[in-house]
Amino acid sequence: MKFFLLPVILLASFLVQAQNAEVYPVFPDCESVKYNSLEDCFKNALVAFIIGHFETPPKVIGNNYTGEITVVFEVSKEGVFRLMYINAAYDELKDEISRIFSLLPVIEPAKYNTQPTSMQFRLPIKIPLKRNEIQELESLPADIDEAPKEKKSNNLQANELVRANNEYDAVRSDLFTNPRYESNINIPLSHEYYSRFDAALNQIGTNNHTASKPFLFKDVSKYYDLKSDVEKLYQDRKTLVGRKIWNEHMLRFQNEDYWFTFDFALDLQLGKDFNDNSADYTYNNTRAAIFQGGLGKHLNFYTVVYENQGRFAGYFNNWAASIRPDGGDPAIIPGRGIAKPFGDDAYDYPVAEGYLSYSPSKYFNVQFGHGKNFIGDGYRSLLVSDVTSPYPYFKLNTTFWKLKYTNTWMSMRDVRPAVTQDGSYRTKYMANHYLSLNVTKRLNIGLFESVIWENDNNRGFDINYLNPVIFYRAIEFSTGARGGNALIGLSGKYKLSNYLNAYTQVIIDEFSSSDIFGGEKSWKNKLGYQLGLKYFDAFKVPNLFLQLEYNQVRPYTYSHNTEVLNYGHNNQSLAHLWGANFRELIAIARYKKDRWYGMAKVIYGKRGFDYDNDFYSYGGDIYRNYEDRPFDNGVKIGQGNTGISFFGQLETGYIINPETNLKLYGSFIYRNMNTDINTRNNFDISTSWLNFGIRTDIFNWYYDY
């Protein structure tokens, strides 16, 4: 903890010293003002000049416009006012601001350690002008820290400055303008965060593509003002610590060539599973460090490292233990990674993610990293989901005309004791491509293809799959029946209105049309589909989001006769977290107002499990060989040990820091599972899990196993 506080203490000390050593620019009318009052005099003199010379354009008056102009400017070391940036709803307002600044006189520049220096400012101007208040100049106490803390509706915020006396000192931060929102950095996969702008992306006539995730900040900002959405939640905090907690990144730096931010992240949970007598309480203790930034306009980077310990509800712990890897480790925390023992009945599971993101032109974005991806418009994905552990990947996004083409190459692991060799996990590779086409203003269709192959016989990474436009099924056939596992998929979305859209997915692992139309229900028909509806601003309630989704996957889908070639990674599915042999219905409601949010989720499902000490596979476990099936025909969803599951979750919370998405929340989960026969991993269990926590919401926790 001392290590975490040290950067904050050093930063606060630096800023205090910098403030004590600098003097604000001085208007002629402020020359006789005491030092402690120079800042307020400069602010009020400037605002008075602008309001006194401002002529509201007729167009603005005619439209009864109410809003705000944001002006970023510099007073140079020669005392000259220089405009750097203007953000206004009308070009006429921008022209008027430029005219006024051309009238400003040359004044006495700011000083740092008695030497003239430049200083940058941000000035909000409210329209109509009567909404602006000018603080009367008054004598302030000798100690500037004891000055009255009056609220100023139109105040100037000086940027932290490092004055340049040599090359080292010249490395300083300019005004921080939140460049992340126009960058190539991914928006972290968070269902709650994505629901805030989903409606804006799904307006009729937009030519964007919403299935391939995560999105880039710059792509979403074309349709939804993410920056303003965050900044309007800022609280009026005067102290440095207050701003860092409630409004800002912990550390931030920006100049014309590069920028970066640094944050500490948390995921601290404390709860109780009222049906598990083996533990007094549940908890998760995650501390993380996030470093992100940009070098130039085209290259961005992001990295986060997590240190975690946790003990969860009984059913979740049971599932984590059931997918444990080879080597004596007790569990794999679903969605996170391999866990080590911690204490008597808890887990320690380190996780790291990061990537480089480069856009050489407006048509291409290239990423190389370690993380997750998602393809689809639903809560679930039957193509590629984020329910598994992070993995290495290389991704190429190509966007032009009405197309977006996503190619992803990944390295996966099979960590089961049955397949490991010489104590090492088995490596396999995956390549997929997804083509999204906006057919009309309302209709989007997508084509998906994926292939998985193993590093066997020194095959390594097969360069045949590097071709981004080739048909993978043909390559898989040419390399032999066991050369790889290829799947194809389809997706679609139709915008019924600006408030309602429908979406679908189909995954085809193997398909026999003669068996389908013949009514034999053959095992060969390894496929699944998804149907869903989204309702934005439901019932004309702003920010109320409703979603209804149905998913079903037939037995043996995603599995293979060469077991390592299943559609999985780290003993988890790469698509739906239930694997195969299931159907489910999901209903979700989300609501957000200012910093408050709420969520309700209900999932009802029918699943088919295997029996203990039974040779046969009934198609739910994608890690089993589909040749171990008990019959060829009459295969149906829910076969084997049938389980009926119900999952309900309520969550409400408060966003502490909108920049980092730090939240304080409370959650209640009710889960019930009933099976025909209780087995080692699947049995009748009812869970009531109450949980409270504070977390930096930058990835999705899935508890609905």
Side-chain angles (χ1 to χ4, degrees):
M1 191 63 184
K2 293 180 179 179
F3 172 76
F4 283 2
L5 291 177
L6 182 59
V8 179
I9 296 172
L10 292 176
L11 178 63
S13 174
F14 167 75
L15 292 178
V16 170
Q17 292 175 11
Q19 290 172 354
N20 290 339
E22 67 184 21
V23 179
Y24 270 69
V26 180
F27 275 93
D29 292 343
C30 300
E31 290 177 352
S32 61
V33 173
K34 294 181 180 180
Y35 166 79
N36 291 339
S37 300
L38 283 176
E39 176 182 351
D40 287 330
C41 186
F42 171 75
K43 296 175 182 179
N44 292 326
L46 178 61
V47 174
F49 185 94
I50 292 174
I51 294 178
H53 291 79
F54 196 96
E55 299 177 3
T56 306
K59 181 178 180 180
V60 176
I61 297 174
N63 291 337
N64 294 319
Y65 172 71
T66 299
E68 187 175 279
I69 307 170
T70 299
V71 182
V72 178
F73 66 93
E74 176 185 69
V75 180
S76 71
K77 63 181 179 180
E78 292 81 20
V80 177
F81 285 85
R82 294 174 178 168
L83 278 171
M84 303 174 66
Y85 172 78
I86 306 173
N87 185 23
Y90 296 88
D91 290 337
E92 290 83 354
L93 289 174
K94 296 180 182 180
D95 294 339
E96 180 61 14
I97 291 297
S98 298
R99 184 188 69 83
I100 293 173
F101 266 74
S102 69
L103 301 176
L104 281 164
V106 177
I107 64 175
E108 184 178 339
K111 292 183 175 64
Y112 184 81
N113 290 337
T114 73
Q115 298 297 316
T117 186
S118 61
M119 186 178 280
Q120 297 171 352
F121 301 92
R122 175 183 178 273
L123 171 63
I125 303 173
K126 293 179 172 57
I127 303 296
L129 293 177
K130 64 183 181 180
R131 299 171 61 212
N132 296 275
E133 301 172 4
I134 306 175
Q135 179 188 357
E136 294 293 335
L137 182 62
E138 57 184 80
S139 299
L140 301 176
D143 187 350
I144 194 170
D145 291 331
E146 297 176 5
K149 304 296 184 182
E150 294 186 18
K151 182 177 180 180
K152 312 174 186 67
S153 62
N154 233 336
N155 71 326
L156 298 170
Q157 300 172 0
N159 188 48
E160 302 98 62
L161 300 174
V162 180
R163 306 308 176 190
N165 293 322
N166 53 45
E167 185 179 20
Y168 178 84
D169 292 333
V171 180
R172 66 184 188 184
S173 179
D174 295 335
L175 180 71
F176 192 81
T177 60
N178 269 332
R180 180 177 68 154
Y181 296 105
E182 300 297 333
S183 74
N184 299 301
I185 288 179
N186 293 332
I187 300 178
L189 287 170
S190 162
H191 288 301
E192 190 279 323
Y193 194 96
Y194 275 55
S195 69
R196 302 178 199 176
F197 51 78
D198 204 3
L201 299 184
N202 283 284
Q203 300 297 293
I204 295 174
T206 55
N207 188 33
N208 57 20
H209 304 266
T210 58
S212 183
K213 301 179 178 75
F215 300 141
L216 301 181
F217 273 102
K218 71 173 186 179
D219 291 340
V220 173
S221 292
K222 297 176 184 177
Y223 307 95
Y224 185 83
D225 195 341
L226 290 165
K227 183 177 179 180
S228 294
D229 189 53
V230 167
E231 290 182 347
K232 71 182 181 183
L233 297 180
Y234 283 178
Q235 296 186 0
D236 187 15
R237 300 287 173 168
K238 301 298 184 182
T239 65
L240 174 68
V241 174
R243 295 197 307 272
K244 297 303 177 184
I245 292 175
W246 298 98
N247 298 335
E248 300 177 359
H249 296 283
M250 177 170 288
L251 295 175
R252 57 187 194 177
F253 184 97
Q254 179 182 346
N255 63 26
E256 62 180 358
D257 297 319
Y258 55 88
W259 66 273
F260 64 82
T261 66
F262 177 83
D263 294 286
F264 289 118
L266 300 171
D267 189 355
L268 307 178
Q269 306 172 24
L270 184 63
K272 175 67 177 177
D273 179 355
F274 295 99
N275 303 95
D276 185 6
N277 298 322
S278 63
D280 294 332
Y281 58 90
T282 65
Y283 72 90
N284 186 72
N285 177 20
T286 293
R287 294 85 60 214
I290 305 172
F291 185 54
Q292 60 186 326
L295 302 174
K297 296 181 179 180
H298 305 293
L299 178 63
N300 292 98
F301 60 86
Y302 178 95
T303 183
V304 55
V305 57
Y306 303 87
E307 178 61 29
N308 320 270
Q309 296 83 38
R311 177 175 58 230
F312 306 92
Y315 79 92
F316 196 82
N317 289 334
N318 292 336
W319 176 250
S322 72
I323 59 174
R324 62 183 178 273
D326 187 28
D329 295 318
I332 292 177
I333 304 302
R336 307 310 294 147
I338 295 176
K340 306 292 183 182
F342 183 77
D344 295 332
D345 54 357
Y347 304 114
D348 185 300
Y349 56 103
V351 181
E353 299 183 57
Y355 57 85
L356 294 173
S357 180
Y358 179 64
S359 292
S361 73
K362 65 180 180 180
Y363 303 112
F364 300 101
N365 175 256
V366 181
Q367 291 191 11
F368 176 68
H370 189 269
K372 302 182 185 182
N373 295 277
F374 189 100
I375 296 178
D377 287 287
Y379 174 72
R380 308 286 200 198
S381 175
L382 305 184
L383 307 181
V384 175
S385 182
D386 62 334
V387 300
T388 188
S389 306
Y391 46 79
Y393 69 89
F394 180 82
K395 181 163 65 173
L396 170 64
N397 277 314
T398 306
T399 307
F400 66 98
W401 188 54
K402 301 175 183 180
L403 294 172
K404 182 174 182 179
Y405 190 42
T406 301
N407 297 90
T408 314
W409 296 269
M410 293 154 279
S411 176
M412 306 294 180
R413 296 188 305 179
D414 194 324
V415 299
R416 293 172 296 159
V419 300
T420 53
Q421 296 176 333
D422 301 325
S424 299
Y425 299 139
R426 294 276 286 273
T427 299
K428 58 183 178 181
Y429 302 102
M430 175 177 174
N432 66 50
H433 44 222
Y434 177 74
L435 177 65
S436 173
L437 170 64
N438 289 323
V439 181
T440 70
K441 294 180 179 180
R442 296 175 181 264
L443 176 64
N444 171 275
I445 60 172
L447 305 175
F448 173 81
E449 188 182 21
S450 177
V451 65
I452 294 178
W453 72 97
E454 186 188 4
N455 183 21
D456 58 343
N457 299 322
N458 297 318
R459 181 182 181 187
F461 190 93
D462 194 332
I463 61 174
N464 286 295
Y465 296 113
L466 287 177
N467 189 329
V469 295
I470 203 166
F471 190 50
Y472 290 153
R473 192 77 179 184
I475 296 180
E476 187 238 357
F477 181 80
S478 67
T479 55
R482 297 177 182 267
N485 181 16
L487 298 88
I488 59 174
L490 304 170
S491 70
K493 180 179 69 175
Y494 189 79
K495 302 172 186 176
L496 299 167
S497 71
N498 285 333
Y499 303 98
L500 185 67
N501 69 57
Y503 59 90
T504 185
Q505 281 187 346
V506 177
I507 184 70
I508 303 173
D509 189 358
E510 198 163 343
F511 180 75
S512 175
S513 59
S514 60
D515 288 322
I516 280 189
F517 298 115
E520 297 295 331
K521 296 182 179 180
S522 170
W523 73 275
K524 296 179 183 178
N525 292 314
K526 298 158 56 181
L527 49 87
Y529 68 86
Q530 174 187 89
L531 297 172
L533 285 171
K534 289 183 179 180
Y535 188 12
F536 308 109
D537 294 340
F539 308 110
K540 298 183 179 180
V541 178
N543 300 318
L544 176 60
F545 170 77
L546 302 179
Q547 185 174 10
L548 185 66
E549 182 174 301
Y550 175 80
N551 297 290
Q552 78 165 42
V553 178
R554 282 181 52 79
Y556 309 110
T557 308
Y558 304 119
S559 61
H560 200 265
N561 57 3
T562 302
E563 295 176 29
V564 178
L565 299 182
N566 58 65
Y567 203 68
H569 165 63
N570 257 20
N571 291 356
Q572 301 152 83
S573 170
L574 284 167
H576 197 291
L577 75 176
W578 288 359
N581 194 11
F582 71 86
R583 56 169 55 98
E584 68 169 349
L585 183 65
I586 305 173
I588 301 173
R590 301 184 189 274
Y591 179 73
K592 181 177 180 291
K593 184 174 179 59
D594 300 326
R595 292 194 179 212
W596 293 95
Y597 75 92
M599 182 273 292
K601 177 168 55 182
V602 175
I603 302 174
Y604 178 81
K606 179 180 181 180
R607 306 167 65 177
F609 303 110
D610 293 337
Y611 299 101
D612 286 344
N613 303 316
D614 190 338
F615 169 80
Y616 292 115
S617 167
Y618 292 89
D621 185 354
I622 68 171
Y623 280 85
R624 293 201 60 179
N625 192 324
Y626 62 63
E627 291 184 347
D628 294 338
R629 59 189 179 275
F631 34 75
D632 291 340
N633 297 315
V635 173
K636 60 182 181 179
I637 291 177
Q639 69 179 20
N641 187 16
T642 304
I644 303 297
S645 69
F646 176 86
F647 180 93
Q649 182 178 7
L650 293 173
E651 180 174 315
T652 184
Y654 181 79
I655 300 172
I656 298 174
N657 189 322
E659 284 289 358
T660 60
N661 212 20
L662 179 66
K663 301 174 178 178
L664 184 69
Y665 72 94
S667 171
F668 178 75
I669 290 174
Y670 175 76
R671 179 184 182 271
N672 186 73
M673 172 66 75
N674 288 308
T675 57
D676 290 343
I677 297 176
N678 289 336
T679 62
R680 181 175 60 255
N681 295 326
N682 301 290
F683 46 85
D684 295 349
I685 184 172
S686 182
T687 301
S688 298
W689 186 12
L690 182 64
N691 207 12
F692 297 94
I694 179 172
R695 72 177 298 235
T696 305
D697 188 6
I698 54 176
F699 67 89
N700 290 315
W701 273 110
Y702 291 97
Y703 296 116
D704 40 4
Y705 282 88

